[in-house]
Amino acid sequence: PHLRLTLTSQPNPNPNPNPHPHPNPSPNQAAQLTSLMQGYATNGLPLLRLQSPLFYANAAQVRNAIEVIAYTLFPVSGHGEGGLAPPRAILVHMHAVTSIDSSAVHILEQACDAIKNAGEIQLAVVAVKPAVLKALTVSGLVKPGGGGRILAFDSVDKAATYFLKAQ
């Protein structure tokens, strides 16, 4: 299956972004992400939608997208005109991910390491199918009740609420 990635905005009424400075991605990558955002404020919570199973053949593409997002400054409300900030968390919507293999789990571990180095950015998955959640839990990336390297939420709203309260 061919992997499609979509980056969308997640509204956040609290304008208090993560202040960590990040190096900029390549101009092409930043332009692509910014155009996907259509100028809407992410408020530190960009949403990456995965639209196919996650396996060895496409996992590196997902990791690369996560890393580019981590080093991209996005429009944030409350910073005046043109206010930009890095994400404080990256939400990965996995509703369409029906399966995940061990190579993809390992690649997600690498993505966690990379975004931690980018400024303590948290990776969170939302709308995860039970089989995929089980694989992430068995790997130790997701821990029941939270506290894993990746946080899991039932919905984007629940994830956004969690990160708003955590500020």
Side-chain angles (χ1 to χ4, degrees):
H2 186 267
L3 177 69
R4 288 188 338 172
L5 303 172
T6 306
L7 184 66
T8 60
S9 174
Q10 173 54 39
N12 174 348
N14 190 332
N16 197 6
N18 180 350
H20 297 290
H22 295 282
N24 288 326
S26 76
N28 281 345
Q29 291 170 326
Q32 288 173 347
L33 288 174
T34 302
S35 69
L36 286 170
M37 295 306 301
Q38 302 171 4
Y40 294 114
T42 65
N43 294 305
L45 298 172
L47 177 67
L48 178 67
R49 292 183 186 272
L50 304 184
Q51 299 176 357
S52 69
L54 195 50
F55 65 109
Y56 72 93
N58 62 12
Q61 184 180 4
V62 172
R63 181 195 62 222
N64 292 343
I66 290 169
E67 289 178 13
V68 168
I69 293 167
Y71 286 100
T72 299
L73 301 177
F74 292 100
V76 178
S77 63
H79 281 255
E81 282 298 311
L84 300 173
R88 58 176 171 253
I90 299 171
L91 308 181
V92 181
H93 195 286
M94 298 182 77
H95 178 74
V97 179
T98 55
S99 62
I100 187 170
D101 71 5
S102 60
S103 297
V105 169
H106 179 69
I107 294 284
L108 287 176
E109 290 173 346
Q110 293 174 351
C112 287
D113 293 339
I115 65 174
K116 181 177 181 184
N117 292 334
E120 299 294 325
I121 299 166
Q122 177 67 54
L123 187 61
V125 292
V126 297
V128 185
K129 302 275 188 206
V132 175
L133 184 59
K134 181 178 180 181
L136 294 173
T137 303
V138 168
S139 74
L141 283 174
V142 172
K143 294 191 178 181
R149 295 182 72 193
I150 298 175
L151 300 179
F153 299 92
D154 295 334
S155 69
V156 173
D157 288 339
K158 288 181 181 177
T161 299
Y162 171 85
F163 287 109
L164 288 173
K165 288 181 180 179
Q167 290 184 20

PDB file of all heavy atoms in Angstrom, residues 86-122:
ATOM      1  N   PRO A  86       7.930  26.256  17.611  1.00  0.00           N
ATOM      2  CA  PRO A  86       8.034  24.814  17.355  1.00  0.00           C
ATOM      3  C   PRO A  86       6.889  24.086  18.062  1.00  0.00           C
ATOM      4  O   PRO A  86       6.277  24.631  18.990  1.00  0.00           O
ATOM      5  CB  PRO A  86       9.387  24.443  17.972  1.00  0.00           C
ATOM      6  CG  PRO A  86       9.583  25.456  19.046  1.00  0.00           C
ATOM      7  CD  PRO A  86       8.952  26.723  18.546  1.00  0.00           C
ATOM      8  N   PRO A  87       6.591  22.880  17.653  1.00  0.00           N
ATOM      9  CA  PRO A  87       5.530  22.140  18.340  1.00  0.00           C
ATOM     10  C   PRO A  87       5.970  21.716  19.736  1.00  0.00           C
ATOM     11  O   PRO A  87       7.148  21.509  19.992  1.00  0.00           O
ATOM     12  CB  PRO A  87       5.324  20.911  17.451  1.00  0.00           C
ATOM     13  CG  PRO A  87       6.617  20.735  16.749  1.00  0.00           C
ATOM     14  CD  PRO A  87       7.197  22.112  16.570  1.00  0.00           C
ATOM     15  N   ARG A  88       5.024  21.611  20.661  1.00  0.00           N
ATOM     16  CA  ARG A  88       5.351  21.056  21.978  1.00  0.00           C
ATOM     17  C   ARG A  88       5.005  19.579  21.994  1.00  0.00           C
ATOM     18  O   ARG A  88       5.462  18.828  22.836  1.00  0.00           O
ATOM     19  CB  ARG A  88       4.657  21.809  23.087  1.00  0.00           C
ATOM     20  CG  ARG A  88       3.194  21.847  22.985  1.00  0.00           C
ATOM     21  CD  ARG A  88       2.603  22.550  24.202  1.00  0.00           C
ATOM     22  NE  ARG A  88       1.208  22.747  23.931  1.00  0.00           N
ATOM     23  CZ  ARG A  88       0.657  23.902  23.642  1.00  0.00           C
ATOM     24  NH1 ARG A  88       1.368  24.986  23.642  1.00  0.00           N
ATOM     25  NH2 ARG A  88      -0.613  23.981  23.374  1.00  0.00           N
ATOM     26  N   ALA A  89       4.144  19.161  21.066  1.00  0.00           N
ATOM     27  CA  ALA A  89       3.804  17.749  20.889  1.00  0.00           C
ATOM     28  C   ALA A  89       3.445  17.544  19.426  1.00  0.00           C
ATOM     29  O   ALA A  89       3.034  18.488  18.744  1.00  0.00           O
ATOM     30  CB  ALA A  89       2.635  17.355  21.779  1.00  0.00           C
ATOM     31  N   ILE A  90       3.625  16.332  18.955  1.00  0.00           N
ATOM     32  CA  ILE A  90       3.202  15.965  17.606  1.00  0.00           C
ATOM     33  C   ILE A  90       2.155  14.875  17.769  1.00  0.00           C
ATOM     34  O   ILE A  90       2.424  13.829  18.357  1.00  0.00           O
ATOM     35  CB  ILE A  90       4.379  15.466  16.743  1.00  0.00           C
ATOM     36  CG1 ILE A  90       5.424  16.572  16.593  1.00  0.00           C
ATOM     37  CG2 ILE A  90       3.880  14.997  15.375  1.00  0.00           C
ATOM     38  CD1 ILE A  90       6.724  16.120  15.952  1.00  0.00           C
ATOM     39  N   LEU A  91       0.950  15.151  17.275  1.00  0.00           N
ATOM     40  CA  LEU A  91      -0.132  14.188  17.343  1.00  0.00           C
ATOM     41  C   LEU A  91      -0.164  13.401  16.034  1.00  0.00           C
ATOM     42  O   LEU A  91      -0.190  13.990  14.962  1.00  0.00           O
ATOM     43  CB  LEU A  91      -1.470  14.899  17.546  1.00  0.00           C
ATOM     44  CG  LEU A  91      -1.561  15.903  18.693  1.00  0.00           C
ATOM     45  CD1 LEU A  91      -2.955  16.495  18.776  1.00  0.00           C
ATOM     46  CD2 LEU A  91      -1.163  15.267  20.001  1.00  0.00           C
ATOM     47  N   VAL A  92      -0.139  12.083  16.136  1.00  0.00           N
ATOM     48  CA  VAL A  92      -0.168  11.217  14.958  1.00  0.00           C
ATOM     49  C   VAL A  92      -1.508  10.485  14.963  1.00  0.00           C
ATOM     50  O   VAL A  92      -1.764   9.642  15.827  1.00  0.00           O
ATOM     51  CB  VAL A  92       1.006  10.219  14.947  1.00  0.00           C
ATOM     52  CG1 VAL A  92       0.947   9.351  13.701  1.00  0.00           C
ATOM     53  CG2 VAL A  92       2.340  10.958  15.035  1.00  0.00           C
ATOM     54  N   HIS A  93      -2.366  10.847  14.019  1.00  0.00           N
ATOM     55  CA  HIS A  93      -3.692  10.240  13.908  1.00  0.00           C
ATOM     56  C   HIS A  93      -3.536   8.913  13.165  1.00  0.00           C
ATOM     57  O   HIS A  93      -3.093   8.880  12.028  1.00  0.00           O
ATOM     58  CB  HIS A  93      -4.623  11.183  13.149  1.00  0.00           C
ATOM     59  CG  HIS A  93      -6.055  10.834  13.284  1.00  0.00           C
ATOM     60  ND1 HIS A  93      -6.621   9.765  12.645  1.00  0.00           N
ATOM     61  CD2 HIS A  93      -7.048  11.406  14.015  1.00  0.00           C
ATOM     62  CE1 HIS A  93      -7.898   9.695  12.954  1.00  0.00           C
ATOM     63  NE2 HIS A  93      -8.181  10.688  13.790  1.00  0.00           N
ATOM     64  N   MET A  94      -3.919   7.800  13.826  1.00  0.00           N
ATOM     65  CA  MET A  94      -3.655   6.470  13.274  1.00  0.00           C
ATOM     66  C   MET A  94      -4.924   5.675  12.987  1.00  0.00           C
ATOM     67  O   MET A  94      -4.870   4.446  12.887  1.00  0.00           O
ATOM     68  CB  MET A  94      -2.746   5.703  14.231  1.00  0.00           C
ATOM     69  CG  MET A  94      -1.390   6.370  14.415  1.00  0.00           C
ATOM     70  SD  MET A  94      -0.282   5.453  15.477  1.00  0.00           S
ATOM     71  CE  MET A  94       0.250   4.150  14.373  1.00  0.00           C
ATOM     72  N   HIS A  95      -6.045   6.345  12.797  1.00  0.00           N
ATOM     73  CA  HIS A  95      -7.297   5.639  12.553  1.00  0.00           C
ATOM     74  C   HIS A  95      -7.205   4.691  11.351  1.00  0.00           C
ATOM     75  O   HIS A  95      -7.771   3.599  11.366  1.00  0.00           O
ATOM     76  CB  HIS A  95      -8.441   6.630  12.359  1.00  0.00           C
ATOM     77  CG  HIS A  95      -9.752   5.973  12.046  1.00  0.00           C
ATOM     78  ND1 HIS A  95     -10.480   5.317  13.009  1.00  0.00           N
ATOM     79  CD2 HIS A  95     -10.439   5.831  10.883  1.00  0.00           C
ATOM     80  CE1 HIS A  95     -11.570   4.806  12.451  1.00  0.00           C
ATOM     81  NE2 HIS A  95     -11.565   5.113  11.163  1.00  0.00           N
ATOM     82  N   ALA A  96      -6.496   5.090  10.323  1.00  0.00           N
ATOM     83  CA  ALA A  96      -6.392   4.279   9.110  1.00  0.00           C
ATOM     84  C   ALA A  96      -5.267   3.246   9.175  1.00  0.00           C
ATOM     85  O   ALA A  96      -5.119   2.443   8.256  1.00  0.00           O
ATOM     86  CB  ALA A  96      -6.196   5.181   7.898  1.00  0.00           C
ATOM     87  N   VAL A  97      -4.494   3.257  10.243  1.00  0.00           N
ATOM     88  CA  VAL A  97      -3.401   2.282  10.384  1.00  0.00           C
ATOM     89  C   VAL A  97      -3.998   1.007  10.963  1.00  0.00           C
ATOM     90  O   VAL A  97      -4.302   0.930  12.150  1.00  0.00           O
ATOM     91  CB  VAL A  97      -2.268   2.829  11.283  1.00  0.00           C
ATOM     92  CG1 VAL A  97      -1.164   1.797  11.437  1.00  0.00           C
ATOM     93  CG2 VAL A  97      -1.721   4.133  10.714  1.00  0.00           C
ATOM     94  N   THR A  98      -4.164   0.004  10.110  1.00  0.00           N
ATOM     95  CA  THR A  98      -4.793  -1.244  10.532  1.00  0.00           C
ATOM     96  C   THR A  98      -3.795  -2.268  11.044  1.00  0.00           C
ATOM     97  O   THR A  98      -4.182  -3.225  11.713  1.00  0.00           O
ATOM     98  CB  THR A  98      -5.594  -1.859   9.373  1.00  0.00           C
ATOM     99  OG1 THR A  98      -4.720  -2.012   8.247  1.00  0.00           O
ATOM    100  CG2 THR A  98      -6.773  -0.955   8.999  1.00  0.00           C
ATOM    101  N   SER A  99      -2.512  -2.057  10.735  1.00  0.00           N
ATOM    102  CA  SER A  99      -1.478  -2.969  11.224  1.00  0.00           C
ATOM    103  C   SER A  99      -0.145  -2.242  11.285  1.00  0.00           C
ATOM    104  O   SER A  99       0.049  -1.207  10.651  1.00  0.00           O
ATOM    105  CB  SER A  99      -1.372  -4.208  10.324  1.00  0.00           C
ATOM    106  OG  SER A  99      -0.989  -3.824   9.010  1.00  0.00           O
ATOM    107  N   ILE A 100       0.773  -2.808  12.083  1.00  0.00           N
ATOM    108  CA  ILE A 100       2.110  -2.252  12.238  1.00  0.00           C
ATOM    109  C   ILE A 100       3.068  -3.413  12.434  1.00  0.00           C
ATOM    110  O   ILE A 100       2.752  -4.371  13.151  1.00  0.00           O
ATOM    111  CB  ILE A 100       2.156  -1.253  13.422  1.00  0.00           C
ATOM    112  CG1 ILE A 100       3.513  -0.535  13.499  1.00  0.00           C
ATOM    113  CG2 ILE A 100       1.799  -1.920  14.728  1.00  0.00           C
ATOM    114  CD1 ILE A 100       3.534   0.635  14.490  1.00  0.00           C
ATOM    115  N   ASP A 101       4.225  -3.377  11.784  1.00  0.00           N
ATOM    116  CA  ASP A 101       5.183  -4.469  11.979  1.00  0.00           C
ATOM    117  C   ASP A 101       6.321  -4.021  12.894  1.00  0.00           C
ATOM    118  O   ASP A 101       6.398  -2.855  13.298  1.00  0.00           O
ATOM    119  CB  ASP A 101       5.691  -5.016  10.644  1.00  0.00           C
ATOM    120  CG  ASP A 101       6.623  -4.087   9.887  1.00  0.00           C
ATOM    121  OD1 ASP A 101       6.994  -3.015  10.412  1.00  0.00           O
ATOM    122  OD2 ASP A 101       6.995  -4.438   8.750  1.00  0.00           O
ATOM    123  N   SER A 102       7.202  -4.951  13.240  1.00  0.00           N
ATOM    124  CA  SER A 102       8.268  -4.654  14.202  1.00  0.00           C
ATOM    125  C   SER A 102       9.251  -3.616  13.671  1.00  0.00           C
ATOM    126  O   SER A 102       9.808  -2.841  14.451  1.00  0.00           O
ATOM    127  CB  SER A 102       9.006  -5.934  14.593  1.00  0.00           C
ATOM    128  OG  SER A 102       9.589  -6.538  13.451  1.00  0.00           O
ATOM    129  N   SER A 103       9.456  -3.574  12.365  1.00  0.00           N
ATOM    130  CA  SER A 103      10.337  -2.555  11.788  1.00  0.00           C
ATOM    131  C   SER A 103       9.760  -1.160  12.009  1.00  0.00           C
ATOM    132  O   SER A 103      10.486  -0.225  12.357  1.00  0.00           O
ATOM    133  CB  SER A 103      10.519  -2.781  10.286  1.00  0.00           C
ATOM    134  OG  SER A 103      11.152  -4.008  10.043  1.00  0.00           O
ATOM    135  N   ALA A 104       8.465  -1.026  11.834  1.00  0.00           N
ATOM    136  CA  ALA A 104       7.819   0.266  12.037  1.00  0.00           C
ATOM    137  C   ALA A 104       7.851   0.666  13.509  1.00  0.00           C
ATOM    138  O   ALA A 104       8.047   1.844  13.825  1.00  0.00           O
ATOM    139  CB  ALA A 104       6.384   0.215  11.527  1.00  0.00           C
ATOM    140  N   VAL A 105       7.695  -0.305  14.415  1.00  0.00           N
ATOM    141  CA  VAL A 105       7.788  -0.005  15.846  1.00  0.00           C
ATOM    142  C   VAL A 105       9.187   0.522  16.160  1.00  0.00           C
ATOM    143  O   VAL A 105       9.335   1.514  16.879  1.00  0.00           O
ATOM    144  CB  VAL A 105       7.450  -1.250  16.696  1.00  0.00           C
ATOM    145  CG1 VAL A 105       7.808  -1.030  18.161  1.00  0.00           C
ATOM    146  CG2 VAL A 105       5.978  -1.608  16.547  1.00  0.00           C
ATOM    147  N   HIS A 106      10.210  -0.120  15.605  1.00  0.00           N
ATOM    148  CA  HIS A 106      11.590   0.327  15.834  1.00  0.00           C
ATOM    149  C   HIS A 106      11.808   1.738  15.278  1.00  0.00           C
ATOM    150  O   HIS A 106      12.463   2.570  15.918  1.00  0.00           O
ATOM    151  CB  HIS A 106      12.573  -0.663  15.205  1.00  0.00           C
ATOM    152  CG  HIS A 106      13.999  -0.268  15.375  1.00  0.00           C
ATOM    153  ND1 HIS A 106      14.631  -0.280  16.595  1.00  0.00           N
ATOM    154  CD2 HIS A 106      14.910   0.182  14.478  1.00  0.00           C
ATOM    155  CE1 HIS A 106      15.877   0.137  16.444  1.00  0.00           C
ATOM    156  NE2 HIS A 106      16.068   0.427  15.168  1.00  0.00           N
ATOM    157  N   ILE A 107      11.245   2.018  14.120  1.00  0.00           N
ATOM    158  CA  ILE A 107      11.365   3.353  13.523  1.00  0.00           C
ATOM    159  C   ILE A 107      10.678   4.399  14.413  1.00  0.00           C
ATOM    160  O   ILE A 107      11.179   5.516  14.572  1.00  0.00           O
ATOM    161  CB  ILE A 107      10.786   3.365  12.094  1.00  0.00           C
ATOM    162  CG1 ILE A 107      11.613   2.499  11.163  1.00  0.00           C
ATOM    163  CG2 ILE A 107      10.635   4.773  11.564  1.00  0.00           C
ATOM    164  CD1 ILE A 107      12.924   3.065  10.704  1.00  0.00           C
ATOM    165  N   LEU A 108       9.557   4.059  15.027  1.00  0.00           N
ATOM    166  CA  LEU A 108       8.896   4.993  15.943  1.00  0.00           C
ATOM    167  C   LEU A 108       9.760   5.252  17.172  1.00  0.00           C
ATOM    168  O   LEU A 108       9.785   6.370  17.690  1.00  0.00           O
ATOM    169  CB  LEU A 108       7.515   4.475  16.346  1.00  0.00           C
ATOM    170  CG  LEU A 108       6.439   4.546  15.268  1.00  0.00           C
ATOM    171  CD1 LEU A 108       5.142   3.916  15.769  1.00  0.00           C
ATOM    172  CD2 LEU A 108       6.200   5.977  14.813  1.00  0.00           C
ATOM    173  N   GLU A 109      10.491   4.237  17.629  1.00  0.00           N
ATOM    174  CA  GLU A 109      11.452   4.447  18.729  1.00  0.00           C
ATOM    175  C   GLU A 109      12.501   5.468  18.314  1.00  0.00           C
ATOM    176  O   GLU A 109      12.854   6.363  19.095  1.00  0.00           O
ATOM    177  CB  GLU A 109      12.130   3.127  19.102  1.00  0.00           C
ATOM    178  CG  GLU A 109      11.231   2.133  19.786  1.00  0.00           C
ATOM    179  CD  GLU A 109      11.903   0.772  19.990  1.00  0.00           C
ATOM    180  OE1 GLU A 109      12.969   0.502  19.381  1.00  0.00           O
ATOM    181  OE2 GLU A 109      11.339  -0.021  20.757  1.00  0.00           O
ATOM    182  N   GLN A 110      13.008   5.338  17.095  1.00  0.00           N
ATOM    183  CA  GLN A 110      13.988   6.293  16.581  1.00  0.00           C
ATOM    184  C   GLN A 110      13.396   7.697  16.487  1.00  0.00           C
ATOM    185  O   GLN A 110      14.069   8.686  16.799  1.00  0.00           O
ATOM    186  CB  GLN A 110      14.499   5.846  15.211  1.00  0.00           C
ATOM    187  CG  GLN A 110      15.325   4.585  15.239  1.00  0.00           C
ATOM    188  CD  GLN A 110      15.686   4.118  13.834  1.00  0.00           C
ATOM    189  OE1 GLN A 110      15.197   4.632  12.833  1.00  0.00           O
ATOM    190  NE2 GLN A 110      16.565   3.132  13.766  1.00  0.00           N
ATOM    191  N   ALA A 111      12.143   7.792  16.072  1.00  0.00           N
ATOM    192  CA  ALA A 111      11.486   9.104  15.985  1.00  0.00           C
ATOM    193  C   ALA A 111      11.372   9.731  17.372  1.00  0.00           C
ATOM    194  O   ALA A 111      11.581  10.932  17.524  1.00  0.00           O
ATOM    195  CB  ALA A 111      10.107   8.967  15.341  1.00  0.00           C
ATOM    196  N   CYS A 112      11.072   8.913  18.376  1.00  0.00           N
ATOM    197  CA  CYS A 112      11.005   9.426  19.762  1.00  0.00           C
ATOM    198  C   CYS A 112      12.345  10.001  20.188  1.00  0.00           C
ATOM    199  O   CYS A 112      12.403  11.068  20.809  1.00  0.00           O
ATOM    200  CB  CYS A 112      10.582   8.321  20.723  1.00  0.00           C
ATOM    201  SG  CYS A 112       8.848   7.868  20.602  1.00  0.00           S
ATOM    202  N   ASP A 113      13.432   9.304  19.875  1.00  0.00           N
ATOM    203  CA  ASP A 113      14.772   9.802  20.209  1.00  0.00           C
ATOM    204  C   ASP A 113      15.044  11.126  19.509  1.00  0.00           C
ATOM    205  O   ASP A 113      15.554  12.076  20.112  1.00  0.00           O
ATOM    206  CB  ASP A 113      15.844   8.785  19.802  1.00  0.00           C
ATOM    207  CG  ASP A 113      15.796   7.506  20.617  1.00  0.00           C
ATOM    208  OD1 ASP A 113      15.230   7.514  21.735  1.00  0.00           O
ATOM    209  OD2 ASP A 113      16.324   6.488  20.122  1.00  0.00           O
ATOM    210  N   ALA A 114      14.697  11.196  18.231  1.00  0.00           N
ATOM    211  CA  ALA A 114      14.980  12.394  17.431  1.00  0.00           C
ATOM    212  C   ALA A 114      14.205  13.602  17.948  1.00  0.00           C
ATOM    213  O   ALA A 114      14.774  14.693  18.059  1.00  0.00           O
ATOM    214  CB  ALA A 114      14.644  12.136  15.965  1.00  0.00           C
ATOM    215  N   ILE A 115      12.930  13.426  18.266  1.00  0.00           N
ATOM    216  CA  ILE A 115      12.168  14.596  18.701  1.00  0.00           C
ATOM    217  C   ILE A 115      12.493  14.989  20.136  1.00  0.00           C
ATOM    218  O   ILE A 115      12.336  16.149  20.503  1.00  0.00           O
ATOM    219  CB  ILE A 115      10.650  14.444  18.472  1.00  0.00           C
ATOM    220  CG1 ILE A 115      10.049  13.335  19.307  1.00  0.00           C
ATOM    221  CG2 ILE A 115      10.358  14.255  16.997  1.00  0.00           C
ATOM    222  CD1 ILE A 115       8.535  13.251  19.215  1.00  0.00           C
ATOM    223  N   LYS A 116      12.985  14.049  20.917  1.00  0.00           N
ATOM    224  CA  LYS A 116      13.462  14.413  22.257  1.00  0.00           C
ATOM    225  C   LYS A 116      14.674  15.333  22.119  1.00  0.00           C
ATOM    226  O   LYS A 116      14.793  16.339  22.805  1.00  0.00           O
ATOM    227  CB  LYS A 116      13.818  13.176  23.063  1.00  0.00           C
ATOM    228  CG  LYS A 116      14.280  13.510  24.463  1.00  0.00           C
ATOM    229  CD  LYS A 116      14.559  12.277  25.278  1.00  0.00           C
ATOM    230  CE  LYS A 116      14.982  12.701  26.677  1.00  0.00           C
ATOM    231  NZ  LYS A 116      15.361  11.581  27.498  1.00  0.00           N
ATOM    232  N   ASN A 117      15.571  14.992  21.193  1.00  0.00           N
ATOM    233  CA  ASN A 117      16.748  15.825  20.939  1.00  0.00           C
ATOM    234  C   ASN A 117      16.368  17.180  20.341  1.00  0.00           C
ATOM    235  O   ASN A 117      17.104  18.146  20.479  1.00  0.00           O
ATOM    236  CB  ASN A 117      17.728  15.103  20.012  1.00  0.00           C
ATOM    237  CG  ASN A 117      18.352  13.897  20.673  1.00  0.00           C
ATOM    238  OD1 ASN A 117      18.464  13.824  21.891  1.00  0.00           O
ATOM    239  ND2 ASN A 117      18.741  12.920  19.861  1.00  0.00           N
ATOM    240  N   ALA A 118      15.226  17.238  19.681  1.00  0.00           N
ATOM    241  CA  ALA A 118      14.784  18.489  19.058  1.00  0.00           C
ATOM    242  C   ALA A 118      14.214  19.475  20.070  1.00  0.00           C
ATOM    243  O   ALA A 118      13.940  20.606  19.729  1.00  0.00           O
ATOM    244  CB  ALA A 118      13.739  18.191  17.982  1.00  0.00           C
ATOM    245  N   GLY A 119      14.009  19.045  21.302  1.00  0.00           N
ATOM    246  CA  GLY A 119      13.497  19.980  22.295  1.00  0.00           C
ATOM    247  C   GLY A 119      12.443  19.397  23.207  1.00  0.00           C
ATOM    248  O   GLY A 119      11.483  20.090  23.530  1.00  0.00           O
ATOM    249  N   GLU A 120      12.596  18.142  23.565  1.00  0.00           N
ATOM    250  CA  GLU A 120      11.652  17.509  24.507  1.00  0.00           C
ATOM    251  C   GLU A 120      10.218  17.537  23.979  1.00  0.00           C
ATOM    252  O   GLU A 120       9.273  17.711  24.736  1.00  0.00           O
ATOM    253  CB  GLU A 120      11.732  18.169  25.887  1.00  0.00           C
ATOM    254  CG  GLU A 120      13.090  18.075  26.544  1.00  0.00           C
ATOM    255  CD  GLU A 120      13.490  16.640  26.897  1.00  0.00           C
ATOM    256  OE1 GLU A 120      12.624  15.840  27.254  1.00  0.00           O
ATOM    257  OE2 GLU A 120      14.690  16.341  26.807  1.00  0.00           O
ATOM    258  N   ILE A 121      10.051  17.336  22.695  1.00  0.00           N
ATOM    259  CA  ILE A 121       8.730  17.286  22.079  1.00  0.00           C
ATOM    260  C   ILE A 121       8.130  15.909  22.354  1.00  0.00           C
ATOM    261  O   ILE A 121       8.797  14.892  22.217  1.00  0.00           O
ATOM    262  CB  ILE A 121       8.819  17.553  20.570  1.00  0.00           C
ATOM    263  CG1 ILE A 121       9.386  18.952  20.322  1.00  0.00           C
ATOM    264  CG2 ILE A 121       7.466  17.382  19.890  1.00  0.00           C
ATOM    265  CD1 ILE A 121       9.831  19.196  18.897  1.00  0.00           C
ATOM    266  N   GLN A 122       6.873  15.877  22.735  1.00  0.00           N
ATOM    267  CA  GLN A 122       6.189  14.619  23.047  1.00  0.00           C
ATOM    268  C   GLN A 122       5.499  14.075  21.795  1.00  0.00           C
ATOM    269  O   GLN A 122       4.860  14.831  21.077  1.00  0.00           O
ATOM    270  CB  GLN A 122       5.145  14.844  24.143  1.00  0.00           C
ATOM    271  CG  GLN A 122       4.332  13.620  24.486  1.00  0.00           C
ATOM    272  CD  GLN A 122       5.160  12.530  25.145  1.00  0.00           C
ATOM    273  OE1 GLN A 122       5.825  12.765  26.135  1.00  0.00           O
ATOM    274  NE2 GLN A 122       5.126  11.339  24.578  1.00  0.00           N
TER     275      GLN A 122
END
